[in-house]
Each structure stands twice: as structure tokens, then as C-alpha cells.
């Protein structure tokens, strides 16, 4: 298990289980149809637990380009490794989204609601307002990354070895699970809390490539990419200032 493989497999599992629960809740005829927001946020948190558990020992389990960039900005991760990690996360996200479609293929076929089918791949706003939606993603990801920094071993300083495998896996899976669950329950209602470009952009690409009817909503697609990255950078800068 190399860091690249760990990030790919971990992100694949994250998306398979995370987008899988959305499919279970919104697609027609599933056993979990209409089971609601609590089911979605809980399963997404547990999806993080699974992904972090698998990837943590080999890569630090970033599973999220925003986390990778935030750690690099804070000096906790080598910039040289950032492209490799992001490539693995994007490929893993695409593979996970493909598996969600394959697993639920019959239910996609009988679901008429194109918005519901897109929701099984990517996020969307409850109220479409560019600035408000961007702020939601910035704040949600700020909380994610800022708290992750505080989960880390206090012996790890901003001047730590930049090649060290520091990330979600360094703190154990359970605290991150609870953090993501809290973000989903408290801050997820406006945009669906992407807080992860690989969680949104990679599956959205697969939605466009797979035989799933409906728009991929590319006009909105930049928000769950730019918002998380900005939120992570702000978290890293603030952490550096106050520590």
C-alpha cells in the first residue's frame, strides 16, 4: 500500500459509502428511500471512518484535496507530494462514483427525478445564491481543517518534517468521524457540505460520463471546489497565526 494507492482506495471507499447512502435515500424503490437527513449525515460520517481506517497507515488519510492543501500551507506536508495526493483522490472519487452507479443501476433506471440522480454524485444548494453558497463551503471546510489541526499530536509543530505522513490518519478515525458528522448535522443544510473537491468534482465528472440523464450543473461546480480550498487555506493561516 503506497500513499498513492492508499489515497485512491480510501477516497473510493469514502465516495462509495457516502454517495451510496444518498442513492439509498433518494432513488426510487430502494429499501432506504426517504429515510432522511440523519441517515445521510450518519452514513457519511461512517464513510469517513472507513476511508481513514484503510488509508491512514500508508498516507495519513487526507482523502480530500482541501485537507492536503491546508496541510501544505501550514507546513505540515510537502508541496512536492500535493499533486500525487490530489490525483489519487480524484481517481478514487471517480471510481467510487462509478461503483455507486453500478450498485444502484436498476434504481437509477426507474427514478425519473434528474435532480435526485445528480444528488447521488454531487452536491447542490438548497437556495441558489453564489455568494452564500460559497461562504457555506468556506465555513464548513474551515471547521473541518481547523479542528483537524487541533486533533493532531501537539508534539507536531508547524516546523515538523514536511515529508511526514501527517493528516487525518494521524489522529485516528473516530474523532474525524464525529467532526464530519457534526459538520453535516449543523452546517450541511445549505449546500450539502461538500467540504471536499474530490467528493464533488470527481463524481460530477462521472455523472457527465455515465448514462445518467440530466444536467451535471457545471455552472455550480466551481463552488464546492473553490470554497473548500479557500476554507482550508484560511484555517491553515489562522492556525499558524494563533499557534
Amino acid at each position: 500500500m503506497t500513499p498513492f494507492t492508499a489515497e485512491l482506495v480510501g477516497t473510493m471507499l469514502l465516495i462509495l459509502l457516502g454517495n451510496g447512502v444518498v442513492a439509498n435515500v433518494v432513488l426510487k424503490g430502494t429499501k432506504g428511500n426517504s429515510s432522511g437527513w440523519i441517515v445521510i449525515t450518519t452514513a457519511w460520517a461512517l464513510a469517513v471512518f472507513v476511508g481513514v481506517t484503510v488509508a491512514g497507515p500508508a498516507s495519513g488519510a487526507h482523502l480530500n484535496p482541501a485537507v492536503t492543501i491546508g496541510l501544505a500551507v501550514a507546513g505540515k506536508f510537502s508541496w512536492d507530494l500535493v499533486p500525487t495526493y490530489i490525483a489519487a483522490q480524484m481517481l478514487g472519487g471517480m471510481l467510487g462514483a462509478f461503483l455507486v452507479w453500478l450498485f444502484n443501476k436498476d434504481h437509477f433506471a426507474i427514478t425519473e427525478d434528474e435532480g435526485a440522480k445528480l444528488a447521488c454524485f454531487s452536491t447542490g444548494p438548497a437556495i441558489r445564491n453564489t455568494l452564500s453558497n460559497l461562504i457555506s463551503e468556506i465555513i464548513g471546510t474551515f471547521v473541518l481543517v481547523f479542528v483537524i489541526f487541533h486533533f493532531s499530536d501537539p508534539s507536531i509543530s508547524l516546523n515538523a518534517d514536511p515529508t511526514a505522513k501527517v493528516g487525518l490518519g494521524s489522529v485516528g478515525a473516530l474523532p474525524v468521524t464525529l467532526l464530519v458528522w457534526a459538520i453535516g448535522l449543523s452546517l450541511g443544510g445549505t449546500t450539502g457540505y461538500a467540504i471536499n473537491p474530490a467528493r464533488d468534482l470527481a463524481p460530477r465528472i462521472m455523472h457527465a460520463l455515465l448514462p445518467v440523464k440530466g444536467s451535471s450543473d457545471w455552472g455550480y461546480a466551481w463552488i464546492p471546489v473553490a470554497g473548500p480550498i479557500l476554507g482550508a487555506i484560511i484555517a491553515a493561516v489562522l492556525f499558524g497565526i494563533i499557534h
Side-chain angles (χ1 to χ4, degrees):
M1 182 79 85
T2 66
F4 180 89
T5 305
E7 288 295 302
L8 190 154
V9 173
T11 309
M12 177 196 74
L13 290 169
L14 172 69
I15 300 304
L16 172 60
L17 298 178
N19 281 2
V21 71
V22 178
N24 190 27
V25 170
V26 306
L27 292 181
K28 186 175 180 179
T30 65
K31 298 288 188 179
N33 184 263
S34 301
S35 51
W37 188 245
I38 302 298
V39 170
I40 289 175
T41 56
T42 302
W44 259 110
L46 295 173
V48 171
F49 180 87
V50 171
V52 170
T53 297
V54 170
S59 70
H62 298 186
L63 313 183
N64 181 342
V67 171
T68 299
I69 291 170
L71 289 167
V73 169
K76 289 177 171 286
F77 188 70
S78 171
W79 280 104
D80 291 341
L81 298 176
V82 168
T84 299
Y85 269 55
I86 292 179
Q89 292 154 4
M90 289 296 294
L91 289 172
M94 293 174 70
L95 182 55
F98 171 77
L99 292 175
V100 170
W101 171 80
L102 182 65
F103 189 91
N104 295 281
K105 191 171 181 292
D106 292 340
H107 294 279
F108 275 107
I110 65 171
T111 300
E112 297 86 7
D113 186 341
E114 294 180 353
K117 289 189 281 190
L118 177 59
C120 301
F121 292 87
S122 55
T123 62
I127 298 174
R128 191 172 292 263
N129 180 314
T130 298
L131 181 58
S132 293
N133 300 155
L134 183 64
I135 289 172
S136 291
E137 288 295 330
I138 289 172
I139 292 174
T141 314
F142 169 85
V143 173
L144 175 70
V145 175
F146 191 70
V147 176
I148 284 171
F149 285 143
H150 289 85
F151 279 160
S152 296
D153 184 337
S155 67
I156 300 174
S157 71
L158 290 176
N159 297 317
D161 178 2
T163 64
K165 295 170 184 175
V166 179
L168 301 188
S170 68
V171 301
L174 184 57
V176 183
T177 299
L178 296 175
L179 171 60
V180 172
W181 196 15
I183 292 171
L185 290 172
S186 301
L187 305 176
T190 54
T191 60
Y193 71 117
I195 61 175
N196 181 346
R199 173 266 176 274
D200 193 278
L201 179 58
R204 196 183 298 269
I205 291 170
M206 293 308 297
H207 177 271
L209 295 176
L210 290 168
V212 182
K213 292 182 180 179
S215 168
S216 299
D217 196 8
W218 289 108
Y220 179 78
W222 68 274
I223 291 176
V225 174
I229 291 173
L230 287 171
I233 291 172
I234 294 168
V237 171
L238 180 61
F239 182 82
I241 291 173
I242 66 178
H243 288 81

